[in-house]
Amino acid sequence: MRTDNDTESETTRVTRKGQVTIPKELRDEFGLEEGDEVRWEKAEDGIRVRKATQSAGRGMLVDEDISEAKREAMAEEMAAEIREQRRSEWQP
């Protein structure tokens, strides 16, 4: 990342579809994973992006003898179910 006015920042482009890529260094630093949601907030000085989903508690309710691969599969399945539930709640 480069430093601009004493703050670390990096630029990315907005695609035709309005998509942006969150730089890997920031995804790693803030624990953003595939399937996580981010919240876009208006701020006086522009736009603020915050992590909306929490993944820190993954595996807390799973037996310790479950393999890491199985834990990931379970987490992905649960995340997909949550995303689907959220989509159905927002559809008219």
Side-chain angles (χ1 to χ4, degrees):
M1 271 196 254
R2 68 171 174 273
T3 303
D4 294 329
N5 299 332
D6 297 326
T7 61
E8 290 185 11
S9 67
E10 185 169 332
T11 61
T12 58
R13 295 190 188 275
V14 178
T15 69
R16 240 182 313 214
K17 295 182 177 183
Q19 299 170 329
V20 296
T21 299
I22 300 170
K24 180 169 178 15
E25 186 174 317
L26 293 173
R27 292 192 315 264
D28 291 346
E29 182 177 344
F30 293 99
L32 291 167
E33 301 174 349
E34 181 179 350
D36 283 345
E37 294 181 359
V38 293
R39 177 179 297 119
W40 298 83
E41 301 174 348
K42 292 181 187 179
E44 286 185 22
D45 58 344
I47 300 170
R48 184 172 295 128
V49 180
R50 294 182 187 266
K51 184 174 180 178
T53 56
Q54 298 295 321
S55 56
R58 277 190 175 180
M60 287 177 52
L61 303 175
V62 179
D63 290 335
E64 291 182 19
D65 61 341
I66 302 293
S67 72
E68 186 63 30
K70 179 66 176 172
R71 287 173 184 260
E72 272 305 309
M74 292 168 71
E76 285 300 317
E77 184 178 330
M78 187 179 297
E81 289 174 13
I82 291 169
R83 283 191 300 272
E84 183 58 36
Q85 179 65 34
R86 287 181 181 156
R87 277 190 210 110
S88 67
E89 288 173 0
W90 286 98
Q91 290 181 359

